[in-house]
Amino acid sequence: PAPGMESLPEAVLIRILASIPAVDLVLVCRLVCCQWKNLVDGTALWILKCQQEGLTRAESDAENWQNFYFLSKKRKNLIKNPCGEEDLEHWGEVENGGDGWKIEDLPGDFGKEFPSEEVHKYFVTSYEWCRKAQVIDLRAEGYWEELMDTTQPKIMVRDWYAGRSDAGCLYELCVKLLSENEDVLAEYKSETVTIPQDNDANWTEISHAFSNYGPGVRFVRFEHGGQDTLFWKGWYGVRVTNSSVTVEP
């Protein structure tokens, strides 16, 4: 009989396997035989796939190249409707103090353009506290339990806020990592940021990285909000946009 694939040098077999979609490698090829299982569970195959697709990392960071590959490919903003393009769609637990939330086009009255040309709108608060929240189901987004419990990839949170130059305002951000039963396993809460009247209206980024948060994280709850400090009717409070939550390798 003609020699089979098992007779191929391991380096050649790795190159062949590297051309197969990653999900098929894990769910199908890994089950073919002990040799293939060892190759799929090993490092060389995933280093090659990362190289082929331009995913780079420092060798000193190389703990699990398979997880690095999947996390890099999946990296995306898990916040839906971050810039108000869909009104308040996907935002829950909405608190509409004063005249409530409003969506406006950039730069807005007495405002500045956003640093990225891809952002066109923002949410703006009123003369009493306005808050809104979004809960991200990590499993539904494809981050499986073993990955979250063992690898505990970094969860990066970012938000952008600004005032209008003719009005003072307040801003707060609170993000919680929740268990299956919605117990709080880790929390980040910003100070209450006070923007004075006659400010420069520049956009400011706030960020926080969750790491080494322990096993059991299944949800991320993102909440932000604010108000103006002059109690003017209308929408003179803090402006927020381009919120993001990403799971990073």
Side-chain angles (χ1 to χ4, degrees):
M5 287 187 70
E6 67 276 1
S7 65
L8 290 172
E10 190 169 279
V12 175
L13 185 53
I14 286 173
R15 289 203 165 273
I16 293 171
L17 290 174
S19 65
I20 296 172
V23 172
D24 293 334
L25 285 174
V26 174
L27 297 182
V28 180
C29 298
R30 194 172 173 274
L31 306 179
V32 170
C33 62
C34 287
Q35 183 191 21
W36 285 30
K37 178 181 182 298
N38 290 336
L39 291 178
V40 173
D41 289 346
T43 298
L45 172 59
W46 296 101
I47 290 177
L48 179 57
K49 281 193 77 65
C50 287
Q51 289 172 344
Q52 289 175 340
E53 300 186 36
L55 307 175
T56 58
R57 71 190 298 194
E59 288 291 337
S60 58
D61 295 336
E63 290 185 14
N64 188 319
W65 282 87
Q66 183 184 130
N67 282 349
F68 172 77
Y69 177 88
F70 278 105
L71 286 169
S72 298
K73 296 293 284 185
K74 290 180 67 65
R75 182 158 44 183
K76 63 176 182 176
N77 185 5
L78 301 177
I79 293 283
K80 295 178 173 63
N81 186 27
C83 304
E85 296 288 350
E86 302 171 74
D87 199 52
L88 284 168
E89 189 74 21
H90 304 296
W91 292 96
E93 302 176 58
V94 177
E95 181 180 339
N96 278 308
D99 287 322
W101 287 97
K102 186 182 180 186
I103 289 89
E104 295 181 345
D105 294 326
L106 280 157
D109 293 339
F110 294 90
K112 294 277 183 69
E113 288 289 357
F114 192 76
S116 168
E117 294 181 359
E118 297 174 1
V119 178
H120 305 291
K121 296 177 182 287
Y122 58 81
F123 303 91
V124 58
T125 59
S126 191
Y127 58 86
E128 290 177 354
W129 271 97
C130 297
R131 292 183 175 88
K132 58 187 176 70
Q134 201 167 130
V135 177
I136 297 161
D137 183 336
L138 292 169
R139 282 176 300 193
E141 296 291 346
Y143 299 97
W144 57 100
E145 294 181 5
E146 183 184 359
L147 175 74
M148 298 308 302
D149 293 347
T150 304
T151 304
Q152 294 177 34
K154 181 168 66 174
I155 299 175
M156 195 72 203
V157 178
R158 297 180 177 87
D159 200 19
W160 288 82
Y161 64 88
R164 45 185 289 161
S165 61
D166 63 340
C169 59
L170 305 175
Y171 165 82
E172 285 183 1
L173 171 66
C174 181
V175 185
K176 299 176 181 179
L177 306 187
L178 306 176
S179 71
E180 179 78 41
N181 299 319
E182 299 191 4
D183 299 318
V184 179
L185 302 181
E187 180 177 5
Y188 167 75
K189 189 168 185 178
S190 73
E191 61 180 358
T192 301
V193 178
T194 302
I195 300 175
Q197 192 174 7
D198 301 320
N199 65 88
D200 59 14
N202 284 334
W203 286 92
T204 300
E205 184 184 38
I206 184 171
S207 63
H208 178 74
F210 289 100
S211 58
N212 301 317
Y213 38 76
V217 172
R218 301 292 178 262
F219 301 95
V220 180
R221 184 182 185 277
F222 179 104
E223 178 187 295
H224 62 181
Q227 67 170 89
D228 79 21
T229 53
L230 301 172
F231 303 99
W232 288 348
K233 183 169 177 58
W235 296 273
Y236 294 84
V238 73
R239 300 165 170 185
V240 294
T241 195
N242 206 38
S243 312
S244 67
V245 172
T246 52
V247 180
E248 304 194 352

